[in-house]
Amino acid sequence: MAPVVSSSNRRSWSRRLRRTSALVWVPVVALVTCTACAGTGQTVSTAPSAPARLTVDRAQHDALARLAQELVDAGAPGVTVRVDDGRSRPVEVVRQAPWAKRAHRLTQDDEFRMGSNTKTMMATLVLMLAADGDLSLDDPVEKWLPGKVPGGDRITLRMLLNHTSGLYDYTGDPELLESILGKSQRRWTSAQLLAVAARHDVLFPPGTRWSYSNTDYIAIGSVLERVTGSTPATLIRDRIARPLGLDHTYYATDASWRGPYARGYEPDAAHMPSDVPDAFKDVAGNPVQGHVDVSGNDVSWGGAAGAVVSNTRDWSRFYTALMSGKLLPEAQVEELRRTVPMDPDNPEKGPGSGLGIETGSTPCGTIWAHDGGMTGYSSTNYTDVKGSRTASVLVSTEFAFEFAADPKMVAANEALQTAAICAMFGKQAPTQTD
């Protein structure tokens, strides 16, 4: 039986597969300052000559390398950064704690659990089927999943994709906790996950509000399977990964990996509160000491909400293909970018949720992005509106652990995210005086 956790800890589990800290890349990035980036001498190249490109590369690399190292020094086991500004060659940075190198030396090619970035690929598949005429975004869920989703006759596929369904997030149910933490290797099916969510009341009438729910995409995965007769794993392979040559991208269905992978870790006892969940205690009832390697956890509990594996280079290629129209007709790209407000207090200027992707304003430019948190892994991927610029920041621990959110590590992560976004736009991150 899953251990009982406090209401505050239970809320932290419901953020899993999602983001490292709430909306870190939209309002927080707009406010966070990056004093470490000051004085880097970063410039934007206005000429196509090789020396100018090298100057931009070196300035970006030095700033990002310093911030990545600060994040490692603050406690992150490993950090991988890749930024492509669409003009100079991509900047790539890898930094790793000395103790983590003993198990595996991190590289840009290493596979990484992408958590909720999976949702962008799931939405892409739905839009492909919409373009083919196999379904409509306005189809009620009940049409494809009769009796499986509460209020499915009033929830459309579009509402699932932009998180306005009102469905309860299944990751908040205590039954999932041991699987989330890796204490159980239970193999979950989409039907079982939908059944867990169905035990809970809906949060609001469909279409009336925005609330992030992993259940939305478990339902989307089930719809994809019903419409096509193929699994999400097969669809991602055949319609996204193979056509784009994404050699390190696939939908995981268990704990296994297909190539060299980043080791993911979770926190030591020093980061834990007095009410440590039982799943983080040893047989004697004491909190686990040291970093725990969780890269062998079964990820079936993430399913279509968060099971995709990829790396920075593959994801850059995917984002470019998606936003430029290589994967979808223009009409479907426009549907992808049609947003609903995520912040009810600032509906006009606040962040917006599209279909499997989100957008917001930063000091350096408007971004389209998603991020993900799965036990041992935090990932954030950015692009511009046309996919000509991309950036990724991968960290081999998961910030959604409420009791692992060391303020120094969170601040270092936010500074790195800001710098990566600005480098993507060929700009220097703002300082406190900007």
Side-chain angles (χ1 to χ4, degrees), residues 154-357:
R154 295 178 291 116
I155 298 173
T156 65
L157 301 186
R158 188 191 303 276
M159 292 175 188
L160 295 177
L161 293 168
N162 65 19
H163 295 296
T164 58
S165 70
L167 293 175
Y168 174 85
D169 188 336
Y170 73 94
T171 65
D173 191 293
E175 188 175 352
L176 269 294
L177 184 57
E178 288 195 350
S179 294
I180 289 171
L181 297 178
K183 299 296 288 187
S184 168
Q185 295 299 308
R186 173 178 177 178
R187 193 69 49 80
W188 289 88
T189 66
S190 295
Q192 290 169 337
L193 296 172
L194 286 177
V196 169
R199 296 200 295 251
H200 299 265
D201 293 336
V202 296
L203 305 181
F204 48 80
T208 61
R209 285 174 48 198
W210 180 90
S211 182
Y212 194 95
S213 176
N214 290 295
T215 304
D216 291 337
Y217 277 77
I218 297 300
I220 283 294
S222 297
V223 169
L224 287 170
E225 196 159 359
R226 180 69 181 273
V227 174
T228 66
S230 297
T231 65
T234 299
L235 293 170
I236 284 180
R237 182 194 67 194
D238 293 347
R239 304 202 66 166
I240 296 177
R242 282 182 175 172
L244 296 181
L246 309 183
D247 295 333
H248 295 280
T249 299
Y250 54 92
Y251 180 107
T253 57
D254 53 27
S256 63
W257 301 80
R258 297 182 184 175
Y261 60 92
R263 304 307 194 265
Y265 297 90
E266 282 308 347
D268 59 23
H271 291 110
M272 298 184 183
S274 56
D275 60 338
V276 180
D278 290 344
F280 266 108
K281 294 178 181 178
D282 60 23
V283 292
N286 300 312
V288 173
Q289 300 288 332
H291 290 84
V292 180
D293 185 341
V294 295
S295 49
N297 287 7
D298 189 297
V299 297
S300 63
W301 63 271
V308 163
V309 169
S310 190
N311 64 17
T312 59
R313 292 168 179 170
D314 274 11
W315 209 268
S316 175
R317 187 178 298 180
F318 165 63
Y319 259 179
T320 296
L322 175 64
M323 302 301 282
S324 67
K326 183 175 181 179
L327 284 174
L328 296 170
E330 182 59 29
Q332 277 63 49
V333 175
E334 288 304 311
E335 290 287 2
L336 180 90
R337 295 195 290 240
R338 182 184 298 182
T339 63
V340 296
M342 298 162 63
D343 182 358
D345 297 325
N346 193 15
E348 297 299 324
K349 297 184 179 180
S353 177
L355 306 187
I357 198 166

Side-chain angles (χ1 to χ4, degrees), residues 29-52:
V29 165
L31 298 175
V32 72
T33 58
C34 180
T35 55
C37 298
T40 61
Q42 182 173 340
T43 58
V44 178
S45 174
T46 57
S49 63

Side-chain angles (χ1 to χ4, degrees), residues 343-392:
D343 182 358
D345 297 325
N346 193 15
E348 297 299 324
K349 297 184 179 180
S353 177
L355 306 187
I357 198 166
E358 299 166 5
T359 188
S361 299
T362 79
C364 292
T366 298
I367 55 172
W368 290 83
H370 211 292
D371 59 1
M374 176 168 274
T375 317
Y377 300 89
S378 296
S379 55
T380 314
N381 296 291
Y382 307 95
T383 187
D384 63 2
V385 70
K386 291 296 185 180
S388 57
R389 305 167 184 264
T390 62
S392 294

Side-chain angles (χ1 to χ4, degrees), residues 130-145:
D132 293 342
D134 295 329
L135 53 72
S136 167
L137 297 180
D138 296 319
D139 285 345
V141 180
E142 188 70 12
K143 175 180 178 179
W144 300 108
L145 304 177

